[in-house]
PDB file of all heavy atoms in Angstrom:
ATOM      1  N   ARG U 274      -9.412  -0.966  -3.207  1.00  0.00           N
ATOM      2  CA  ARG U 274      -8.740  -1.678  -2.143  1.00  0.00           C
ATOM      3  C   ARG U 274      -7.332  -2.024  -2.608  1.00  0.00           C
ATOM      4  O   ARG U 274      -7.070  -2.150  -3.807  1.00  0.00           O
ATOM      5  CB  ARG U 274      -9.503  -2.954  -1.792  1.00  0.00           C
ATOM      6  CG  ARG U 274     -10.481  -2.720  -0.642  1.00  0.00           C
ATOM      7  CD  ARG U 274     -11.447  -3.851  -0.487  1.00  0.00           C
ATOM      8  NE  ARG U 274     -12.517  -3.820  -1.483  1.00  0.00           N
ATOM      9  CZ  ARG U 274     -13.424  -2.867  -1.584  1.00  0.00           C
ATOM     10  NH1 ARG U 274     -13.400  -1.848  -0.770  1.00  0.00           N
ATOM     11  NH2 ARG U 274     -14.360  -2.897  -2.501  1.00  0.00           N
ATOM     12  N   MET U 275      -6.430  -2.160  -1.647  1.00  0.00           N
ATOM     13  CA  MET U 275      -5.037  -2.468  -1.982  1.00  0.00           C
ATOM     14  C   MET U 275      -4.448  -3.384  -0.930  1.00  0.00           C
ATOM     15  O   MET U 275      -4.913  -3.440   0.197  1.00  0.00           O
ATOM     16  CB  MET U 275      -4.219  -1.182  -2.111  1.00  0.00           C
ATOM     17  CG  MET U 275      -4.313  -0.254  -0.921  1.00  0.00           C
ATOM     18  SD  MET U 275      -2.791  -0.215  -0.009  1.00  0.00           S
ATOM     19  CE  MET U 275      -3.268   0.682   1.462  1.00  0.00           C
ATOM     20  N   LYS U 276      -3.401  -4.109  -1.354  1.00  0.00           N
ATOM     21  CA  LYS U 276      -2.655  -4.970  -0.443  1.00  0.00           C
ATOM     22  C   LYS U 276      -1.255  -4.388  -0.332  1.00  0.00           C
ATOM     23  O   LYS U 276      -0.582  -4.165  -1.340  1.00  0.00           O
ATOM     24  CB  LYS U 276      -2.589  -6.394  -0.965  1.00  0.00           C
ATOM     25  CG  LYS U 276      -1.794  -7.318  -0.057  1.00  0.00           C
ATOM     26  CD  LYS U 276      -1.853  -8.744  -0.565  1.00  0.00           C
ATOM     27  CE  LYS U 276      -1.051  -9.677   0.290  1.00  0.00           C
ATOM     28  NZ  LYS U 276      -1.567  -9.919   1.597  1.00  0.00           N
ATOM     29  N   ILE U 277      -0.838  -4.127   0.894  1.00  0.00           N
ATOM     30  CA  ILE U 277       0.500  -3.590   1.119  1.00  0.00           C
ATOM     31  C   ILE U 277       1.514  -4.695   0.877  1.00  0.00           C
ATOM     32  O   ILE U 277       1.441  -5.762   1.487  1.00  0.00           O
ATOM     33  CB  ILE U 277       0.644  -3.023   2.549  1.00  0.00           C
ATOM     34  CG1 ILE U 277      -0.323  -1.844   2.748  1.00  0.00           C
ATOM     35  CG2 ILE U 277       2.086  -2.603   2.818  1.00  0.00           C
ATOM     36  CD1 ILE U 277      -0.389  -1.330   4.167  1.00  0.00           C
ATOM     37  N   VAL U 278       2.451  -4.428  -0.020  1.00  0.00           N
ATOM     38  CA  VAL U 278       3.514  -5.380  -0.339  1.00  0.00           C
ATOM     39  C   VAL U 278       4.710  -5.123   0.565  1.00  0.00           C
ATOM     40  O   VAL U 278       5.316  -6.043   1.093  1.00  0.00           O
ATOM     41  CB  VAL U 278       3.908  -5.263  -1.825  1.00  0.00           C
ATOM     42  CG1 VAL U 278       5.097  -6.154  -2.142  1.00  0.00           C
ATOM     43  CG2 VAL U 278       2.718  -5.584  -2.717  1.00  0.00           C
ATOM     44  N   SER U 279       5.043  -3.842   0.749  1.00  0.00           N
ATOM     45  CA  SER U 279       6.160  -3.492   1.623  1.00  0.00           C
ATOM     46  C   SER U 279       6.019  -2.037   2.046  1.00  0.00           C
ATOM     47  O   SER U 279       5.362  -1.244   1.385  1.00  0.00           O
ATOM     48  CB  SER U 279       7.506  -3.708   0.923  1.00  0.00           C
ATOM     49  OG  SER U 279       7.613  -2.881  -0.216  1.00  0.00           O
ATOM     50  N   GLU U 280       6.638  -1.739   3.167  1.00  0.00           N
ATOM     51  CA  GLU U 280       6.702  -0.348   3.612  1.00  0.00           C
ATOM     52  C   GLU U 280       8.053   0.204   3.182  1.00  0.00           C
ATOM     53  O   GLU U 280       9.081  -0.446   3.328  1.00  0.00           O
ATOM     54  CB  GLU U 280       6.532  -0.249   5.130  1.00  0.00           C
ATOM     55  CG  GLU U 280       6.435   1.185   5.585  1.00  0.00           C
ATOM     56  CD  GLU U 280       5.941   1.337   7.015  1.00  0.00           C
ATOM     57  OE1 GLU U 280       5.334   0.387   7.543  1.00  0.00           O
ATOM     58  OE2 GLU U 280       6.170   2.413   7.587  1.00  0.00           O
ATOM     59  N   LEU U 281       8.029   1.402   2.630  1.00  0.00           N
ATOM     60  CA  LEU U 281       9.240   2.030   2.131  1.00  0.00           C
ATOM     61  C   LEU U 281       9.860   2.901   3.217  1.00  0.00           C
ATOM     62  O   LEU U 281       9.138   3.442   4.064  1.00  0.00           O
ATOM     63  CB  LEU U 281       8.915   2.883   0.904  1.00  0.00           C
ATOM     64  CG  LEU U 281       8.215   2.146  -0.239  1.00  0.00           C
ATOM     65  CD1 LEU U 281       7.808   3.122  -1.329  1.00  0.00           C
ATOM     66  CD2 LEU U 281       9.115   1.058  -0.789  1.00  0.00           C
ATOM     67  N   PRO U 282      11.163   3.060   3.195  1.00  0.00           N
ATOM     68  CA  PRO U 282      11.786   3.988   4.143  1.00  0.00           C
ATOM     69  C   PRO U 282      11.225   5.400   3.883  1.00  0.00           C
ATOM     70  O   PRO U 282      11.044   5.783   2.738  1.00  0.00           O
ATOM     71  CB  PRO U 282      13.274   3.931   3.787  1.00  0.00           C
ATOM     72  CG  PRO U 282      13.445   2.717   2.945  1.00  0.00           C
ATOM     73  CD  PRO U 282      12.130   2.419   2.307  1.00  0.00           C
ATOM     74  N   ALA U 283      10.946   6.095   4.948  1.00  0.00           N
ATOM     75  CA  ALA U 283      10.372   7.431   4.793  1.00  0.00           C
ATOM     76  C   ALA U 283      11.040   8.405   5.739  1.00  0.00           C
ATOM     77  O   ALA U 283      11.266   8.088   6.901  1.00  0.00           O
ATOM     78  CB  ALA U 283       8.867   7.402   5.056  1.00  0.00           C
ATOM     79  N   ASP U 284      11.342   9.570   5.223  1.00  0.00           N
ATOM     80  CA  ASP U 284      11.890  10.633   6.061  1.00  0.00           C
ATOM     81  C   ASP U 284      10.820  11.694   6.296  1.00  0.00           C
ATOM     82  O   ASP U 284      11.118  12.850   6.522  1.00  0.00           O
ATOM     83  CB  ASP U 284      13.130  11.239   5.403  1.00  0.00           C
ATOM     84  CG  ASP U 284      12.835  11.796   4.014  1.00  0.00           C
ATOM     85  OD1 ASP U 284      11.709  11.591   3.503  1.00  0.00           O
ATOM     86  OD2 ASP U 284      13.732  12.440   3.442  1.00  0.00           O
ATOM     87  N   ARG U 285       9.571  11.273   6.223  1.00  0.00           N
ATOM     88  CA  ARG U 285       8.426  12.173   6.389  1.00  0.00           C
ATOM     89  C   ARG U 285       7.614  11.716   7.591  1.00  0.00           C
ATOM     90  O   ARG U 285       7.775  10.595   8.066  1.00  0.00           O
ATOM     91  CB  ARG U 285       7.573  12.139   5.129  1.00  0.00           C
ATOM     92  CG  ARG U 285       8.376  12.570   3.914  1.00  0.00           C
ATOM     93  CD  ARG U 285       7.577  12.429   2.671  1.00  0.00           C
ATOM     94  NE  ARG U 285       8.406  12.850   1.552  1.00  0.00           N
ATOM     95  CZ  ARG U 285       8.096  12.677   0.315  1.00  0.00           C
ATOM     96  NH1 ARG U 285       6.958  12.106  -0.005  1.00  0.00           N
ATOM     97  NH2 ARG U 285       8.892  13.074  -0.643  1.00  0.00           N
ATOM     98  N   PRO U 286       6.701  12.542   8.051  1.00  0.00           N
ATOM     99  CA  PRO U 286       5.902  12.144   9.216  1.00  0.00           C
ATOM    100  C   PRO U 286       4.795  11.143   8.882  1.00  0.00           C
ATOM    101  O   PRO U 286       4.022  10.766   9.744  1.00  0.00           O
ATOM    102  CB  PRO U 286       5.315  13.471   9.711  1.00  0.00           C
ATOM    103  CG  PRO U 286       5.349  14.372   8.532  1.00  0.00           C
ATOM    104  CD  PRO U 286       6.501  13.942   7.686  1.00  0.00           C
ATOM    105  N   PHE U 287       4.715  10.716   7.635  1.00  0.00           N
ATOM    106  CA  PHE U 287       3.726   9.720   7.245  1.00  0.00           C
ATOM    107  C   PHE U 287       4.437   8.539   6.589  1.00  0.00           C
ATOM    108  O   PHE U 287       5.610   8.621   6.234  1.00  0.00           O
ATOM    109  CB  PHE U 287       2.672  10.319   6.293  1.00  0.00           C
ATOM    110  CG  PHE U 287       3.255  11.001   5.082  1.00  0.00           C
ATOM    111  CD1 PHE U 287       3.528  10.296   3.926  1.00  0.00           C
ATOM    112  CD2 PHE U 287       3.511  12.372   5.096  1.00  0.00           C
ATOM    113  CE1 PHE U 287       4.057  10.923   2.817  1.00  0.00           C
ATOM    114  CE2 PHE U 287       4.043  13.005   3.992  1.00  0.00           C
ATOM    115  CZ  PHE U 287       4.320  12.279   2.843  1.00  0.00           C
ATOM    116  N   ARG U 288       3.702   7.457   6.472  1.00  0.00           N
ATOM    117  CA  ARG U 288       4.279   6.229   5.937  1.00  0.00           C
ATOM    118  C   ARG U 288       4.110   6.170   4.423  1.00  0.00           C
ATOM    119  O   ARG U 288       3.138   6.670   3.881  1.00  0.00           O
ATOM    120  CB  ARG U 288       3.597   5.040   6.591  1.00  0.00           C
ATOM    121  CG  ARG U 288       3.824   5.041   8.097  1.00  0.00           C
ATOM    122  CD  ARG U 288       2.889   4.129   8.803  1.00  0.00           C
ATOM    123  NE  ARG U 288       3.504   2.827   9.020  1.00  0.00           N
ATOM    124  CZ  ARG U 288       3.108   1.978   9.952  1.00  0.00           C
ATOM    125  NH1 ARG U 288       2.108   2.260  10.740  1.00  0.00           N
ATOM    126  NH2 ARG U 288       3.720   0.835  10.096  1.00  0.00           N
ATOM    127  N   LEU U 289       5.050   5.512   3.777  1.00  0.00           N
ATOM    128  CA  LEU U 289       4.971   5.242   2.345  1.00  0.00           C
ATOM    129  C   LEU U 289       4.999   3.732   2.149  1.00  0.00           C
ATOM    130  O   LEU U 289       5.760   3.036   2.824  1.00  0.00           O
ATOM    131  CB  LEU U 289       6.159   5.872   1.612  1.00  0.00           C
ATOM    132  CG  LEU U 289       6.263   7.395   1.682  1.00  0.00           C
ATOM    133  CD1 LEU U 289       7.586   7.859   1.081  1.00  0.00           C
ATOM    134  CD2 LEU U 289       5.101   8.039   0.946  1.00  0.00           C
ATOM    135  N   VAL U 290       4.158   3.242   1.251  1.00  0.00           N
ATOM    136  CA  VAL U 290       4.109   1.804   1.007  1.00  0.00           C
ATOM    137  C   VAL U 290       4.142   1.515  -0.489  1.00  0.00           C
ATOM    138  O   VAL U 290       3.791   2.352  -1.311  1.00  0.00           O
ATOM    139  CB  VAL U 290       2.838   1.159   1.618  1.00  0.00           C
ATOM    140  CG1 VAL U 290       2.784   1.342   3.115  1.00  0.00           C
ATOM    141  CG2 VAL U 290       1.578   1.670   0.952  1.00  0.00           C
ATOM    142  N   ARG U 291       4.573   0.310  -0.804  1.00  0.00           N
ATOM    143  CA  ARG U 291       4.403  -0.244  -2.143  1.00  0.00           C
ATOM    144  C   ARG U 291       3.197  -1.160  -2.012  1.00  0.00           C
ATOM    145  O   ARG U 291       3.131  -1.977  -1.082  1.00  0.00           O
ATOM    146  CB  ARG U 291       5.642  -1.020  -2.569  1.00  0.00           C
ATOM    147  CG  ARG U 291       5.498  -1.654  -3.959  1.00  0.00           C
ATOM    148  CD  ARG U 291       6.804  -2.220  -4.484  1.00  0.00           C
ATOM    149  NE  ARG U 291       7.650  -1.108  -4.925  1.00  0.00           N
ATOM    150  CZ  ARG U 291       8.810  -0.744  -4.353  1.00  0.00           C
ATOM    151  NH1 ARG U 291       9.267  -1.413  -3.309  1.00  0.00           N
ATOM    152  NH2 ARG U 291       9.516   0.256  -4.815  1.00  0.00           N
ATOM    153  N   ALA U 292       2.241  -1.002  -2.918  1.00  0.00           N
ATOM    154  CA  ALA U 292       0.996  -1.757  -2.794  1.00  0.00           C
ATOM    155  C   ALA U 292       0.546  -2.275  -4.155  1.00  0.00           C
ATOM    156  O   ALA U 292       0.934  -1.745  -5.194  1.00  0.00           O
ATOM    157  CB  ALA U 292      -0.090  -0.876  -2.181  1.00  0.00           C
ATOM    158  N   GLU U 293      -0.284  -3.309  -4.101  1.00  0.00           N
ATOM    159  CA  GLU U 293      -0.912  -3.872  -5.293  1.00  0.00           C
ATOM    160  C   GLU U 293      -2.412  -3.639  -5.202  1.00  0.00           C
ATOM    161  O   GLU U 293      -2.997  -3.791  -4.120  1.00  0.00           O
ATOM    162  CB  GLU U 293      -0.673  -5.385  -5.371  1.00  0.00           C
ATOM    163  CG  GLU U 293       0.764  -5.795  -5.493  1.00  0.00           C
ATOM    164  CD  GLU U 293       0.936  -7.312  -5.432  1.00  0.00           C
ATOM    165  OE1 GLU U 293      -0.012  -8.019  -5.015  1.00  0.00           O
ATOM    166  OE2 GLU U 293       2.025  -7.775  -5.787  1.00  0.00           O
ATOM    167  N   PRO U 294      -3.046  -3.301  -6.322  1.00  0.00           N
ATOM    168  CA  PRO U 294      -4.511  -3.145  -6.291  1.00  0.00           C
ATOM    169  C   PRO U 294      -5.195  -4.495  -6.089  1.00  0.00           C
ATOM    170  O   PRO U 294      -4.701  -5.537  -6.524  1.00  0.00           O
ATOM    171  CB  PRO U 294      -4.838  -2.577  -7.678  1.00  0.00           C
ATOM    172  CG  PRO U 294      -3.680  -2.928  -8.539  1.00  0.00           C
ATOM    173  CD  PRO U 294      -2.484  -3.059  -7.647  1.00  0.00           C
ATOM    174  N   LEU U 295      -6.316  -4.465  -5.393  1.00  0.00           N
ATOM    175  CA  LEU U 295      -7.135  -5.665  -5.190  1.00  0.00           C
ATOM    176  C   LEU U 295      -8.480  -5.454  -5.869  1.00  0.00           C
ATOM    177  O   LEU U 295      -9.119  -4.419  -5.675  1.00  0.00           O
ATOM    178  CB  LEU U 295      -7.359  -5.936  -3.702  1.00  0.00           C
ATOM    179  CG  LEU U 295      -6.152  -6.359  -2.886  1.00  0.00           C
ATOM    180  CD1 LEU U 295      -6.526  -6.486  -1.409  1.00  0.00           C
ATOM    181  CD2 LEU U 295      -5.599  -7.672  -3.397  1.00  0.00           C
ATOM    182  N   ASP U 296      -8.896  -6.414  -6.645  1.00  0.00           N
ATOM    183  CA  ASP U 296     -10.205  -6.341  -7.289  1.00  0.00           C
ATOM    184  C   ASP U 296     -11.267  -6.846  -6.329  1.00  0.00           C
ATOM    185  O   ASP U 296     -11.007  -7.700  -5.482  1.00  0.00           O
ATOM    186  CB  ASP U 296     -10.226  -7.189  -8.563  1.00  0.00           C
ATOM    187  CG  ASP U 296      -9.322  -6.617  -9.645  1.00  0.00           C
ATOM    188  OD1 ASP U 296      -9.214  -5.384  -9.746  1.00  0.00           O
ATOM    189  OD2 ASP U 296      -8.728  -7.415 -10.390  1.00  0.00           O
ATOM    190  N   ASP U 297     -12.479  -6.299  -6.472  1.00  0.00           N
ATOM    191  CA  ASP U 297     -13.599  -6.820  -5.701  1.00  0.00           C
ATOM    192  C   ASP U 297     -13.873  -8.241  -6.172  1.00  0.00           C
ATOM    193  O   ASP U 297     -13.806  -8.548  -7.359  1.00  0.00           O
ATOM    194  CB  ASP U 297     -14.846  -5.965  -5.912  1.00  0.00           C
ATOM    195  CG  ASP U 297     -14.746  -4.614  -5.242  1.00  0.00           C
ATOM    196  OD1 ASP U 297     -13.899  -4.462  -4.343  1.00  0.00           O
ATOM    197  OD2 ASP U 297     -15.511  -3.707  -5.608  1.00  0.00           O
ATOM    198  N   ASP U 298     -14.154  -9.108  -5.224  1.00  0.00           N
ATOM    199  CA  ASP U 298     -14.423 -10.504  -5.534  1.00  0.00           C
ATOM    200  C   ASP U 298     -15.836 -10.819  -5.057  1.00  0.00           C
ATOM    201  O   ASP U 298     -16.113 -10.755  -3.852  1.00  0.00           O
ATOM    202  CB  ASP U 298     -13.397 -11.394  -4.822  1.00  0.00           C
ATOM    203  CG  ASP U 298     -13.595 -12.870  -5.128  1.00  0.00           C
ATOM    204  OD1 ASP U 298     -14.231 -13.198  -6.138  1.00  0.00           O
ATOM    205  OD2 ASP U 298     -13.102 -13.698  -4.339  1.00  0.00           O
ATOM    206  N   TYR U 299     -16.710 -11.107  -5.986  1.00  0.00           N
ATOM    207  CA  TYR U 299     -18.090 -11.424  -5.656  1.00  0.00           C
ATOM    208  C   TYR U 299     -18.354 -12.895  -6.007  1.00  0.00           C
ATOM    209  O   TYR U 299     -18.667 -13.218  -7.155  1.00  0.00           O
ATOM    210  CB  TYR U 299     -19.062 -10.531  -6.419  1.00  0.00           C
ATOM    211  CG  TYR U 299     -18.876  -9.061  -6.124  1.00  0.00           C
ATOM    212  CD1 TYR U 299     -18.392  -8.188  -7.087  1.00  0.00           C
ATOM    213  CD2 TYR U 299     -19.174  -8.559  -4.867  1.00  0.00           C
ATOM    214  CE1 TYR U 299     -18.223  -6.853  -6.804  1.00  0.00           C
ATOM    215  CE2 TYR U 299     -19.005  -7.221  -4.579  1.00  0.00           C
ATOM    216  CZ  TYR U 299     -18.536  -6.373  -5.554  1.00  0.00           C
ATOM    217  OH  TYR U 299     -18.372  -5.044  -5.279  1.00  0.00           O
TER     218      TYR U 299
END
């Protein structure tokens, strides 16, 4: 799982993001 920190500018037909990993929390 990941948390999106920011969306990066993209010149492609898909999105690019900067993300941080999320650990499972039990």
